Amino acid sequence: MYNAKYIWPGIVIFIVLFSMPFWMNTGQEQYTRPQLALPAGEKECVEPAEWMRANHMQLLNTWRDMALREEQRVYVSSSGKQWEVSLQNTCMKCHSNYVEFCDKCHVSNSVSPYCWDCHVLPKGNQ
Amino acid sequence: MFISLVAVIVLGAIAWMGGATPGLQYLFGIVLPMIAVVVFLAGFIWRIMDWAKSPVPFSIPTTGGQQRSLDWIKPARLDSPYTKTGTVGRMLLEVLLFRSLFRNTKAELRNGPRLVYWSSKWLWLFALLFHYCFLVVFIRHFRFFLDPVPVAIGMMETVDGIMQIGVPRLFMSGVILFGALLFLLMRRLCDQKLRYISLPNDYFPLLLLIGLVGSGLCLRYIGKADIATIKEMTMGIATLSPHIPALPISPLFYVHLGFLSTLLIVFPFSKLMHMGGIFLSPTRNLPNNTRAVHHTNPWNPPKTYRTYAEYENDFRDLMDEAGLPLEITPEQAAAKE
């Protein structure tokens, strides 16, 4: 092999960079899905939980447009139930434990919604 | 073009079916990606080793400027590097800024038989956008493989989504990446000369990347996948304790993963290997100093020399007899012994 003194460091750098997820995680506990504090006393969300998990941010976007652009403050869910269109008065009333619910899942997936620059975070950790 | 397009569509369809069939999810979601990573790493190293073993018989740097010569002639230090520093500088500019693409020119017939050359920077611009956005997107994906997610990635996301368009926030890099890929494809399709020289192995990586990026954008902005569950799966792979999560994942994610696995497997054996190859290009990584330093061809057999002194030693007496002039006469030689 020619130029071994350049090739070897190059290969080592390449391997170290591209196998990063594998060695950065060694020695850590097994990753588990964040355990969320679901609202006590409630059984169902605005929409089915499976759909909410993937689409809640888009629902919030729709809600925002509904409330502010179309002046429509009632949302009829797929099951026919009516909900008040409001981030604070609907979502956060049930999911009042922001830190243990929304935030826990977001932090683990590196999501940081900027909504709380303006909207009031529920303080209660009941 | 059409062969590649069909190949990519078929791959996507297979991956979709794999993702939608519970029995095949382990194969497509875990076995295939793990094999792909191994093939990628091993294939990459193999290619590099192969290149590193090939001798460079001649010093063949391509030059774009005045070679160093007399003191009063100004040399082009970067375009015709003479020293190691110059060569390293040239390599860095090439790898980080694609300097040689910047010099791209285009020839065109204008007003009948007039051939005009003009500087065409579009390829350079979109190639640069593509590569850097790809890097950003690649690094951002580490949020799926690391826990806790490093602060740097969060900062990157903040900057990338600083426009605060829509929910989930629009990351500029992804959209630019997709646009740049489309440009690179259209460039091949619309320019007749380029189209003529384009082969399936030019189109396939492009279309595969378009599929990969397109499915990724869909997963984030349109089809919406359950990211928390996907992270469960990717972390399983990263910690080498793979499992398919209990909650369902959209088949589109398996398409994304299938394209990625294909990319990783194809990478070392395709033109995409220019990622490693650029560092081993003799036209770039050699200094242009052929008039000052002898470049030894490594495959030349070692030379055996026979000096005149040795020759005279062997034939001294015969030469003396024939009356030929000698450097050391037989008498002097005898006296020495």
Side-chain angles (χ1 to χ4, degrees):
Chain A
M1 194 165 79
Y2 302 98
N3 294 319
K5 66 175 170 171
Y6 298 120
I7 301 283
W8 285 120
I11 288 184
V12 168
I13 292 174
F14 167 75
I15 296 200
V16 166
L17 281 183
F18 276 82
S19 60
M20 192 144 86
F22 296 102
W23 55 261
M24 290 261 288
N25 281 311
T26 51
Q28 277 197 29
E29 306 159 41
Q30 174 81 41
Y31 175 83
T32 46
R33 195 190 176 82
Q35 292 304 311
L36 307 173
L38 292 177
E42 297 287 348
K43 267 204 220 63
E44 56 184 37
C45 197
V46 174
E47 296 281 350
E50 194 179 295
W51 189 88
M52 285 305 283
R53 251 174 237 127
N55 293 290
H56 63 273
M57 51 319 259
Q58 285 188 333
L59 179 71
L60 284 173
N61 201 22
T62 320
W63 276 24
R64 181 166 61 177
D65 291 351
M66 274 172 74
L68 302 185
R69 300 198 179 149
E70 294 150 28
E71 269 193 276
Q72 234 195 310
R73 295 206 181 235
V74 182
Y75 173 79
V76 184
S77 75
S78 55
S79 63
K81 213 166 157 190
Q82 294 198 344
W83 299 91
E84 190 202 339
V85 172
S86 170
L87 177 57
Q88 269 140 254
N89 299 339
T90 311
C91 306
M92 302 327 282
K93 194 133 113 226
C94 282
H95 299 291
S96 57
N97 197 343
Y98 180 78
V99 178
E100 287 296 308
F101 185 74
C102 311
D103 213 27
K104 205 159 181 188
C105 188
H106 288 167
V107 166
S108 128
N109 291 295
S110 180
V111 184
S112 51
Y114 57 91
C115 318
W116 317 111
D117 293 357
C118 305
H119 291 268
V120 182
L121 261 182
K123 293 248 166 48
N125 261 10
Q126 311 92 341
Chain B
M1 158 77 189
F2 287 102
I3 304 173
S4 310
L5 186 63
V6 170
V8 171
I9 293 176
V10 168
L11 280 168
I14 295 176
W16 179 284
M17 268 158 31
T21 323
L24 291 176
Q25 281 174 353
Y26 198 84
L27 180 66
F28 280 88
I30 286 165
V31 178
L32 188 65
M34 302 261 272
I35 293 177
V37 170
V38 173
V39 170
F40 173 69
L41 290 177
F44 200 100
I45 293 169
W46 173 72
R47 284 297 299 265
I48 294 284
M49 290 302 216
D50 190 37
W51 280 325
K53 279 187 193 136
S54 316
V56 179
F58 304 109
S59 177
I60 49 165
T62 48
T63 60
Q66 172 64 47
Q67 182 178 15
R68 200 191 103 125
S69 107
L70 297 171
D71 279 346
W72 47 273
I73 299 177
K74 207 171 150 234
R77 277 176 216 291
L78 286 170
D79 286 325
S80 185
Y82 178 78
T83 54
K84 200 178 222 174
T85 340
T87 315
V88 170
R90 182 194 200 195
M91 278 301 278
L92 281 178
L93 287 174
E94 183 65 44
V95 172
L96 300 177
L97 296 176
F98 306 169
R99 204 149 168 273
S100 57
L101 278 189
F102 193 69
R103 268 201 291 267
N104 186 35
T105 54
K106 196 173 167 154
E108 217 175 37
L109 279 178
R110 277 207 195 146
N111 305 333
R114 229 158 69 82
L115 183 63
V116 193
Y117 291 92
W118 45 288
S119 164
S120 172
K121 304 259 183 271
W122 293 109
L123 176 61
W124 170 79
L125 179 70
F126 281 93
L128 205 65
L129 281 177
F130 163 74
H131 282 84
Y132 274 102
C133 288
F134 200 116
L135 181 66
V136 170
V137 171
F138 178 75
I139 295 176
R140 275 207 281 98
H141 272 73
F142 276 79
R143 76 173 159 135
F144 295 116
F145 298 99
L146 301 175
D147 188 77
V149 181
V151 195
I153 292 183
M155 275 154 49
M156 207 161 181
E157 284 172 340
T158 310
V159 176
D160 207 347
I162 202 153
M163 304 295 274
Q164 299 194 339
I165 301 171
V167 182
R169 228 169 322 162
L170 185 83
F171 285 148
M172 288 178 281
S173 54
V175 180
I176 300 176
L177 176 58
F178 196 63
L181 274 170
L182 288 183
F183 171 85
L184 295 175
L185 179 68
M186 289 324 277
R187 190 183 77 98
R188 281 195 185 280
L189 290 179
C190 295
D191 186 335
Q192 294 209 335
K193 297 187 279 323
L194 221 91
R195 193 167 166 170
Y196 183 69
I197 57 168
S198 296
L199 299 169
N201 59 7
D202 292 315
Y203 288 119
F204 183 70
L206 265 177
L207 289 168
L208 189 66
L209 281 168
I210 289 177
L212 178 67
V213 175
S215 60
L217 289 177
C218 258
L219 282 170
R220 185 174 162 82
Y221 302 107
I222 305 164
K224 288 314 305 159
D226 176 0
I227 300 223
T229 310
I230 288 174
K231 178 151 185 178
E232 224 184 307
M233 182 161 148
T234 51
M235 282 304 286
I237 294 179
T239 53
L240 299 179
S241 50
H243 61 278
I244 296 286
L247 294 168
I249 300 180
S250 140
L252 188 59
F253 173 68
Y254 285 89
V255 175
H256 192 58
L257 205 59
F259 283 147
L260 175 68
S261 307
T262 316
L263 182 71
L264 287 177
I265 292 174
V266 169
F267 197 98
F269 314 102
S270 71
K271 60 187 265 186
L272 299 172
M273 249 326 267
H274 69 269
M275 176 181 172
I278 183 138
F279 295 99
L280 287 123
S281 313
T283 53
R284 304 280 135 170
N285 65 16
L286 289 171
N288 183 22
N289 57 2
T290 43
R291 296 185 187 180
V293 180
H294 177 70
H295 180 90
T296 320
N297 179 356
W299 76 46
N300 280 348
K303 285 209 173 60
T304 47
Y305 296 99
R306 187 166 154 80
T307 60
Y308 176 71
E310 286 166 350
Y311 175 85
E312 206 187 75
N313 281 348
D314 283 357
F315 298 107
R316 182 165 294 115
D317 294 338
L318 291 171
M319 288 169 82
D320 189 40
E321 246 178 72
L324 293 172
L326 287 170
E327 281 187 351
I328 304 171
T329 58
E331 293 79 42
Q332 283 169 327
K336 249 193 192 160
E337 278 175 22

